[in-house]
Amino acid sequence: MSDIYFFNLYFMNIYVGNLNYRIQEDDLKSVMERYGIVDSIKVIKDRETGRSKGFAFVEMQNDKDAKKAIEDLNEKEFEGRQMVVKEAISKK
């Protein structure tokens, strides 16, 4: 009989807003990785122009690390703009 293990992987999804329009995913990743493992980053871009809309979503693997990042980075200046960092509201 083989053992089967199920892992419920939970990634906290973080909203990062009021970003400088020049910010790339790698720029934001370097900031977020200071707090823990980053699973993904998606800078949201306009479909027609390809220009950043000034916000992104970051998924972090550890809830505690994500909450620390939110606490430390919310309202902090990054590339000339005061970021808004909070837990993303899921679509239902």
Side-chain angles (χ1 to χ4, degrees):
M1 184 166 127
S2 65
D3 293 327
I4 298 175
Y5 297 95
F6 293 95
F7 295 97
N8 183 13
L9 295 177
Y10 172 76
F11 297 102
M12 180 179 277
N13 197 13
I14 302 169
Y15 167 84
V16 183
N18 200 36
L19 291 171
N20 185 308
Y21 295 116
R22 293 183 307 248
I23 297 297
Q24 300 292 315
E25 290 170 358
D26 287 341
D27 303 325
L28 190 53
K29 186 175 184 178
S30 69
V31 171
M32 299 303 290
E33 282 183 328
R34 297 177 194 160
Y35 294 92
I37 298 171
V38 174
D39 187 60
S40 70
I41 293 183
K42 180 69 177 168
V43 172
I44 306 304
K45 297 181 180 183
D46 183 272
R47 287 182 221 196
E48 292 181 23
T49 65
R51 180 180 166 204
S52 168
K53 289 187 172 188
F55 67 97
F57 293 96
V58 178
E59 286 186 335
M60 294 187 72
Q61 290 186 11
N62 183 294
D63 190 55
K64 184 178 175 183
D65 294 343
K67 287 180 180 181
K68 180 66 173 157
I70 291 168
E71 178 183 315
D72 287 358
L73 296 174
N74 188 44
E75 299 184 351
K76 295 293 189 241
E77 187 271 332
F78 179 55
E79 296 294 324
R81 308 272 314 251
Q82 189 175 2
M83 293 188 293
V84 174
V85 184
K86 60 185 178 179
E87 187 170 355
I89 300 169
S90 64
K91 294 183 199 177
K92 289 190 178 187

